[in-house]
């Protein structure tokens, strides 16, 4: 079964193809902005999900305070499009990065994150190059064992180092609590805040993160802003986390069934170079809307292998199906462009401008 | 510990950065060409690994008969660079693909693979558009349960369908035996060949595949050519398969340690958007040459999380390390460019021209 829109996409663009429904995109943007407004927390969406300046501008127009970028190269593209308030939630260091960061400061108000003294030791070079003070937040690890200082004492010490560094300004704290770890995060933050205040500093930015944390939005007392990323498109992980429905999933991969291979098998033209090997902790590599019981069981680079043994409906060779990916952020990063639609109308292609900006 | 070259790469390009050593690339190309020559089997390298026309030309100059592409978009780029003999080892179907395939036939001698009647039913449209006969090989599944007809009888029937189709010419068989499955592949092929001969057809192309099958090169009696892909760069999977040494690994990801996070932990600026989540069935996500006992345990999109608990040596924040990826083909597909070096000299950047050509 191929929908009329899928047939049109296949004819005009070919498959596999990433298609975004702009009605859903706008609805997702409005919904999260409303949630932020109601929680009294500013919205600072993470553009790593869409990597496109036009979509970032839509988020700002809807009320977002600014944006979050993970890599300097992403921030450069966003600043060039006129976005003025950028948090780079990443440890930047080294002369090459400092020269670029200094140049970026000439184009936008930039805040960076740091979790160690080596980074704080390098950042003044960027500030010096720009001639402008650079705002720095201390990244705190509140349970994920990813980046971030591990204790409030370390957070306080690093905040003082930042404040004592020429050209740097201590701006606050960045946290990414686990969904179950908000009480711990509050304890960490309260202690760190009291510590910096005891040294005459204060936190003007207190940033929390994660689309699955929608249910916890504003729960950290003192939080000033939240970094939502995936919500603009949503994916199978967000549905599994209970923060989105299938109707909120704005991006689908349109893929052609290129072989049936055997009675219980099928082969898609979308493999790990389209959908990526990120499982997001889920069984199977995406939901096929036309055949929800079919399992995308494994990948070759350009093939997705279907296990149809538990599926009552079976696709035919030539069918174009729609897939909700497990993890949309990494899938978008495979694409040079996504195709915009509204309902059944194709609007046109949108470049994934910051795709591959690894540095 | 940062090597002088790593420091130079970080300064001139920034990290993470994919670096290829052209001495190793050329040695790998020569080694496999020699193995093909000695086995009396033509070399038809798969360009999905490097996705660059200049490197494909090096392979041809060294003696390769032609190239293999997985996607039509890859083949278009290779044909535009003047490469004339292209096997697209993929089921192509649909009007959009047929129009492009017809145009491609005007630029190069193209052979395509098919494993089902729907594809064979579409291919004459391309031949008609080009006005040239289109060569088609039958893809046979000899044990991997990927693409391919499952029995010799199906292979024979499909070969006859191809031969009976206007504008199509049956060219032979494409196989991808498992490393242990060559006896089965021989049986499959012998039966299929006898069957097509009984109908007055013959196989001029008998193509086997896979770099790990280097140890089996020429083992299929009747084989005319082999599709090597990964050998040009090699990776941790090829070393694990015993067909390459660490010194044969020509591509390294240069990555900066951006945090130590905790005494037993470290964080790289290379995550799943650089190294991908492909494990290739191996433990850990790559080998760090400077710290071989450090484990790249897991990823965020732009972070690689190190488990240093079993490592006697520990990197410092700011160190630039070199990583041999598990699966180099998907890593190259993350990159807009790779940086070429010879020994300690930087030559310059090479675009990954066919990156993201999903269709």
């Amino acid at each position: 079964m191929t929908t009329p829109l899928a047939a049109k996409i296949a004819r005009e663009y070919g498959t596999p193809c990433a298609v975004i429904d702009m009605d859903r995109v706008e609805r997702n943007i409005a919904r999260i902005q409303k949630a932020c407004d109601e929680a009294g927390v500013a919205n600072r969406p993470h553009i790593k999900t869409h990597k496109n300046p036009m979509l970032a501008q839509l988020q700002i127009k809807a009320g977002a305070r600014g944006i979050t970028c993970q890599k300097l190269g992403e921030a450069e593209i966003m600043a060039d499009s006129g976005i003025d308030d950028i948090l780079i939630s990443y440890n930047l260091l080294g002369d090459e990065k400092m020269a670029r960061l200094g140049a970026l400061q000439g184009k936008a108000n930039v805040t960076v994150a740091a979790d160690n003294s080596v980074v704080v030791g390098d950042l003044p070079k960027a500030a010096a190059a720009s001639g402008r003070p650079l705002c720095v937040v201390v990244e705190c690890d509140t349970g994920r064992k990813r980046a971030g200082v591990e204790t409030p004492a370390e957070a306080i010490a690093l905040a003082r180092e930042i404040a004592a560094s020429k050209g740097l300004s201590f701006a606050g704290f960045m946290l990414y609590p686990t969904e179950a770890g908000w009480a711990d995060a509050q304890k960490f933050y309260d202690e760190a805040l009291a510590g910096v205040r005891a040294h005459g500093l204060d936190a003007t930015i207190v940033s929390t993160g994660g689309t699955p944390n929608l249910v916890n939005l504003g729960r950290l007392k003192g939080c000033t802003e939240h970094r939502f990323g995936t919500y603009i498109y949503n994916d199978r992980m967000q549905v599994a986390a209970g923060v989105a429905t299938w109707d909120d999933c704005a991006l689908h991969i349109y893929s052609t069934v290129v072989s049936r291979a055997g009675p219980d098998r099928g082969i898609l033209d979308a493999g790990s170079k389209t959908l990526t090997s990120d499982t997001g902790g889920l069984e199977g590599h995406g939901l096929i809307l036309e055949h929800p019981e079919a399992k995308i069981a494994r990948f070759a680079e350009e093939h997705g292998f279907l296990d149809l043994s538990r599926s009552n409906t079976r696709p035919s060779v030539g069918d174009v199906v729609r897939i909700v990916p497990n993890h949309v952020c990494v899938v978008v990063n495979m694409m040079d462009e996504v195709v915009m639609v509204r309902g059944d109308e194709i609007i046109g292609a949108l470049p994934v401008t910051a795709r591959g900006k690894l540095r």
Side-chain angles (χ1 to χ4, degrees), chain A residues 71-264:
Chain A
K71 290 286 174 110
L72 189 49
E74 295 171 342
E76 288 167 339
I77 284 171
M78 295 297 148
D80 283 343
S81 84
I83 292 174
D84 182 52
D85 184 346
I86 302 175
L87 167 65
I88 304 177
S89 52
Y90 207 85
N91 284 314
L92 297 176
L93 78 165
D95 289 347
E96 187 261 353
K97 296 275 192 304
M98 290 308 111
R100 288 166 57 200
L101 179 57
L104 182 68
Q105 276 190 276
K107 296 181 187 169
N109 288 302
V110 182
T111 301
V112 300
D115 78 355
N116 67 75
S117 299
V118 179
V119 168
V120 171
D122 256 11
L123 292 174
K125 297 176 194 169
S130 73
R132 292 175 68 174
L134 177 62
C135 293
V136 185
V137 292
V138 172
E139 181 164 10
C140 303
D141 183 351
T142 47
R144 284 182 198 266
K145 296 280 172 201
R146 294 181 23 159
V149 295
E150 293 189 296
T151 65
E154 288 177 83
I156 297 159
L158 199 61
R160 295 182 65 196
E161 269 184 59
I162 293 163
S165 298
K166 194 169 154 58
L168 304 189
S169 166
F170 170 71
F173 301 103
M174 187 173 89
L175 310 90
Y176 187 12
T178 63
E179 282 94 273
W182 285 69
D184 291 343
Q186 187 75 58
K187 197 159 162 281
F188 190 119
Y189 164 67
D190 288 345
E191 208 174 317
L193 182 70
V196 299
R197 283 189 170 161
H199 292 284
L201 302 172
D202 208 349
T204 51
I205 297 176
V206 181
S207 175
T208 55
T211 296
N213 270 324
L214 171 60
V215 289
N216 295 307
L217 186 61
R219 200 165 140 191
L220 185 87
K221 266 200 290 190
C223 171
T224 63
E225 60 181 47
H226 192 85
R227 311 179 308 280
F228 284 102
T230 317
Y231 81 101
I232 189 166
Y233 290 151
N234 290 309
D235 55 21
R236 204 164 159 236
M237 279 167 73
Q238 307 312 314
V239 175
V243 295
T245 67
W246 297 116
D247 282 346
D248 299 325
C249 293
L251 183 144
H252 297 146
I253 297 296
Y254 284 53
S255 172
T256 300
V257 178
V258 295
S259 174
R260 276 296 305 282
D264 281 348

Side-chain angles (χ1 to χ4, degrees), chain A residues 272-295:
Chain A
S272 65
K273 281 179 174 169
T274 298
L275 288 166
T276 87
S277 296
D278 264 32
T279 62
L282 301 174
E283 180 85 1
H285 290 282
L287 176 86
I288 300 176
L289 293 179
E290 289 79 2
H291 304 280
E293 293 154 332
K295 182 176 166 186

Side-chain angles (χ1 to χ4, degrees), chain A residues 55-68:
Chain A
L55 294 176
Q57 296 281 11
L58 282 187
Q59 291 171 313
I60 287 170
K61 209 172 145 196
R65 164 173 297 177
I67 59 165
T68 309

